[in-house]
Amino acid sequence: MAKLVTKRQQATAGAPEQQRLRAVAGYFADRETGETDRLIYERVRLGILSALSVNPSMSFAELKDLLQTSDGNLSIHARKLEEAGYVSCKKKFSARVPKTEFSLTAKGKRMFARHLEHMEALIQAARGT
């Protein structure tokens, strides 16, 4: 008796390289909710998260200088990350001059770590390792 094979089974029965690439196909999906979160994949936002992942906190001026962006551009992207709960923002005064400090939240650390895991999996899949 012949075994019936669905199109889905045919598609997943490909070469090991294709199976590895399928394994990272869920790159944008959140493991817990299944929702996509493309918020951090924009260059400036990813730069903010990257910089804050290796520094406990950074000032607005430091981030602006590092990312070579305008005040308005950095402000908008930082606000989006703050609204998502990835970055915390503390404002204070130093010698009567306002100073804004940013740091990663626990959620931001998790999301950035997940991003790095996905990138590593994608690199390994692309290299065939």
Side-chain angles (χ1 to χ4, degrees), residues 28-118:
F28 292 111
D30 186 309
R31 289 183 197 141
E32 296 170 4
T33 65
E35 297 176 355
T36 59
D37 183 3
R38 298 180 185 220
L39 180 69
I40 69 171
Y41 301 107
E42 197 283 329
R43 183 191 72 82
V44 174
R45 291 182 211 143
L46 188 55
I48 292 169
L49 292 178
S50 298
L52 294 176
S53 73
V54 295
N55 293 289
S57 68
M58 291 185 78
S59 71
F60 185 91
E62 291 170 328
L63 282 170
K64 179 184 167 193
D65 186 50
L66 178 69
L67 301 173
Q68 297 181 348
T69 189
S70 67
D71 287 358
N73 197 20
L74 180 59
S75 179
I76 288 170
H77 289 297
R79 183 170 293 131
K80 287 186 185 248
L81 291 172
E82 184 180 13
E83 289 170 355
Y86 298 165
V87 170
S88 68
C89 173
K90 293 181 181 174
K91 296 186 183 236
K92 58 185 177 181
F93 285 88
S94 177
R96 305 185 107 195
V97 176
K99 187 172 182 183
T100 304
E101 288 283 326
F102 295 99
S103 59
L104 275 183
T105 63
K107 182 178 180 181
K109 289 176 185 177
R110 281 193 314 273
M111 292 304 292
F112 188 68
R114 186 174 68 89
H115 171 74
L116 292 179
E117 289 171 8
H118 284 297

